[in-house]
Amino acid sequence: MRQRACFIPITLLLIPALLLGACSGNEPTGAPATSGESLYAEKSCVSCHTVDGSASVGPTWKGLYLSTVELADGTTVTADDAYLRESILRPSAKTVEGYSPGLMETVIKPDSLSESEVDALVDYIKSLK
Ligand code: HEC
């Protein structure tokens, strides 16, 4: 008898603990969201882009959002959402002046990332002021 009396309160305590554990990992959007920061590493963007302004194989992402980008064809473009999305989904659509054309596409194939992955990466780039 005494054993059972003890067992019930412990079970009751465990339920909210389990619920808390199950909920705390979720993004507010409910989608199985992977953050842009983790995609940066997972999709190997990290091997060619820095997020701290230092030079690499490709342009740094720090301060990229809404900056004016000089393209190899002599035109300029504002790095807005549309430009960033295009640069990720079709890496060879435009080439940044001073960088190797077609290089990103050797690793990131056109349309190889999902819409939600592109959204997350663009959000991450936006956060790198
Ligand atoms: C193999 C090296 C390489 C990898 C891997 C790579 N990139 Fe790039 N990326 C480049 C180079 C080089 C450029 C500049 C030339 C060009 O515009 O194609 C570039 C340009 C860009 C630009 C435009 C930058 C600007 O200053 O206008 C964006 C945005 C971008 N990459 C996003 C990504 C994302 C997101 C990933 C990962 C999913 C990625 N890149 C992976 C090499 C790479």
Side-chain angles (χ1 to χ4, degrees):
M1 274 309 157
R2 186 172 284 166
Q3 260 178 335
R4 179 176 291 172
C6 214
F7 177 73
I8 292 166
I10 286 174
T11 312
L12 286 177
L13 275 174
L14 274 175
I15 292 169
L18 286 173
L19 284 175
L20 267 177
C23 294
S24 57
N26 285 349
E27 293 289 317
T29 53
T34 311
S35 75
E37 189 173 3
S38 48
L39 286 169
Y40 169 66
E42 275 166 34
K43 301 289 175 183
S44 59
C45 318
V46 62
S47 55
C48 297
H49 295 278
T50 68
V51 294
D52 64 358
S54 57
S56 184
V57 178
T60 185
W61 289 355
K62 185 182 167 71
L64 172 59
Y65 186 57
L66 295 185
S67 69
T68 302
V69 177
E70 245 182 86
L71 300 177
D73 65 6
T75 62
T76 56
V77 62
T78 301
D80 56 11
D81 291 60
Y83 170 77
L84 294 178
R85 296 185 69 86
E86 181 186 59
S87 301
I88 297 168
L89 283 170
R90 294 193 295 125
S92 293
K94 296 187 172 71
T95 302
V96 183
E97 169 63 23
Y99 292 91
S100 314
L103 186 62
M104 177 168 156
E105 205 169 274
T106 60
V107 178
I108 310 298
K109 301 295 173 207
D111 294 311
S112 60
L113 300 185
S114 72
E115 282 294 312
S116 64
E117 287 171 334
V118 175
D119 286 344
L121 283 161
V122 169
D123 281 348
Y124 179 51
I125 292 174
K126 282 183 186 176
S127 75
L128 302 165
K129 300 258 153 58

